[in-house]
Amino acid sequence: MSPARAAAYLLGGMLLAAWLASAAAVVRAPAVLAPRRSPEAVQLDAVALHVQSQASRLRQRLAVAPVPQAPVRNPFTFVEAPVPAAVSRRPAPAAPIVVEQPAPEPELVLLGVAEQGSTRTAMIASGDELLMATEGQTVVGRYRVGKVGADLIELVDLVTGATRRLNLRSPGSLP
């Protein structure tokens, strides 16, 4: 390749790069077209303008409205009324203190435990009644059966949360 041809290629490449750079720097402003407004938008603008005018009217009326007066009496402040000198104050008799007695625990006796598979059923005597219960059931409306063992049952008191244990009695000690 001759030096003249190489210079021509180089000059042509430089002209092409300058032309591309000048084209990239030109920014054309887009033609601004006025957007067409839908009838709903026009109606919404009219409603907004009406609300704004009503709000300004309300502000003007509130500016000339009378200011509320401070209350004469405060219901949250307690002041003792003055006592006339002729009346003496005697202390009021003390109210009797009422101590609520807890309900007595029902008479429960564990008579036996039956086992079928992995489920144990406790047989409990409550007065003249015979109750049969498994874990999770409620007994006498006051206890929930917590655990049934081979010779022991745990009852959780629903009122106090205390645990009551009933042991299996020997046959000679039963009434």
Side-chain angles (χ1 to χ4, degrees):
M1 179 179 317
S2 68
R5 186 176 255 180
Y9 283 137
L10 183 63
L11 183 63
M14 287 175 37
L15 285 175
L16 179 65
W19 179 69
L20 288 174
S22 69
V26 175
V27 178
R28 292 186 185 186
V32 178
L33 297 175
R36 286 194 166 183
R37 298 186 49 152
S38 66
E40 291 87 16
V42 172
Q43 186 178 9
L44 283 176
D45 286 343
V47 168
L49 184 62
H50 179 70
V51 168
Q52 288 175 352
S53 68
Q54 293 298 323
S56 65
R57 283 185 55 216
L58 180 61
R59 280 189 208 102
Q60 289 172 354
R61 291 184 67 191
L62 286 176
V64 296
V67 178
Q69 296 178 357
V72 176
R73 174 177 136 338
N74 185 354
F76 300 105
T77 304
F78 299 105
V79 178
E80 192 171 323
V83 178
V87 178
S88 65
R89 286 204 167 204
R90 282 185 244 152
I97 298 174
V98 178
V99 177
E100 188 174 317
Q101 297 290 336
E105 291 187 353
E107 182 74 26
L108 298 175
V109 178
L110 180 62
L111 298 176
V113 176
E115 189 170 336
Q116 184 178 9
S118 63
T119 304
R120 289 184 176 158
T121 303
M123 288 165 272
I124 305 167
S126 172
D128 292 336
E129 266 187 276
L130 176 64
L131 306 171
M132 299 172 103
T134 58
E135 289 184 18
Q137 287 184 332
T138 304
V139 178
V140 193
R142 180 170 175 174
Y143 297 104
R144 183 179 42 82
V145 179
K147 187 176 182 182
V148 179
D151 61 346
L152 171 79
I153 182 170
E154 290 183 356
L155 302 172
V156 179
D157 194 336
L158 298 175
V159 176
T160 63
T163 302
R164 181 176 176 186
R165 289 182 178 85
L166 300 177
N167 290 324
L168 187 61
R169 295 184 181 174
S170 64
S173 66
L174 289 175

